[in-house]
Amino acid sequence: MGDFLMELWAFMKERKKFWLLPIIIVLVLLGSLIVLTQGSAVAPFIYTLF
């Protein structure tokens, strides 16, 4: 996983694609939110937001 992150950072640095970083962060946060709340009692409230 660390190797992937290092390659991704090198790609963004070399190609000047720093605008990808906020998109990747938001996607990771939303994905982890869905995975972590899938079996909990909070899940119905999360799904109503979307």
Side-chain angles (χ1 to χ4, degrees), residues 1-10:
M1 186 67 172
D3 196 33
F4 172 73
L5 293 175
M6 293 296 290
E7 285 187 36
L8 182 64
W9 178 252

Side-chain angles (χ1 to χ4, degrees), residues 3-20:
D3 196 33
F4 172 73
L5 293 175
M6 293 296 290
E7 285 187 36
L8 182 64
W9 178 252
F11 169 78
M12 289 192 300
K13 195 165 107 175
E14 183 177 330
R15 304 259 193 237
K16 306 286 192 254
K17 303 269 185 195
F18 294 111
W19 54 270
L20 286 172

Side-chain angles (χ1 to χ4, degrees), residues 1-2 5 7 11-12 15 17 22-25 30 32 37-38 43-45 50:
M1 186 67 172
L5 293 175
E7 285 187 36
F11 169 78
M12 289 192 300
R15 304 259 193 237
K17 303 269 185 195
I23 296 170
I24 293 170
I25 290 172
L30 286 176
S32 63
T37 61
Q38 193 169 10
F45 301 110
F50 300 106

